Amino acid sequence: MPGLLRGVARTAVIAGTATSVSNRVSRRQAGRWAQQDAARAQARSVPAAPPSPVPTSLAPEDEMSNKIAQLKVLGDLKSQGVLSDSEFEAQKARVLAL
C-alpha cells in the first residue's frame, strides 16, 4: 500500500506541475498576442496629418492640382492600411468640399 500511495502522490505532483507550467505559458503567450494586437490597432488608428488648408487666393488650376495631390495622398494612406474605407471617404468628401 505505501508504494501505491507514493506512486499516486508522485503522479499528482507531476500532473500539477505540468498544469501549472502549461497555464503560465498560455498566459504569457496570450499577453504577447494582446500586446501585438494593441500595437497593430494603435498603428491603424493613428490619424493622418490633416492636409494643409488651401489659401483662398489660389488660381482655379492651382486649387484643382492641390486637391488632386491631397486625394493621391489619401489614396496612398488607404492602400497602406492607415485609413479605413469610411475614414477615406470622409476625408475625400472634405477635400472635395473645399
Side-chain angles (χ1 to χ4, degrees), residues 9-96:
R10 183 181 302 149
T11 302
V13 168
I14 291 170
T17 303
T19 301
S20 175
V21 170
S22 175
N23 289 340
R24 188 174 359 165
V25 169
S26 294
R27 280 192 306 269
R28 187 180 317 145
Q29 189 65 35
R32 286 180 185 162
W33 288 340
Q35 287 175 349
Q36 289 174 353
D37 289 343
R40 286 185 196 127
Q42 185 180 18
R44 286 187 201 132
S45 67
V46 174
S52 60
V54 178
T56 56
S57 62
L58 286 178
E61 301 84 27
D62 292 339
E63 189 173 326
M64 182 58 103
S65 65
N66 190 19
K67 285 183 180 183
I68 292 171
Q70 288 178 353
L71 290 173
K72 285 181 182 179
V73 169
L74 288 174
D76 290 342
L77 290 173
K78 182 181 177 221
S79 67
Q80 293 171 3
V82 175
L83 291 177
S84 67
D85 290 337
S86 60
E87 291 171 331
F88 172 75
E89 292 299 326
Q91 291 296 324
K92 182 174 84 171
R94 189 183 60 76
V95 167
L96 293 175

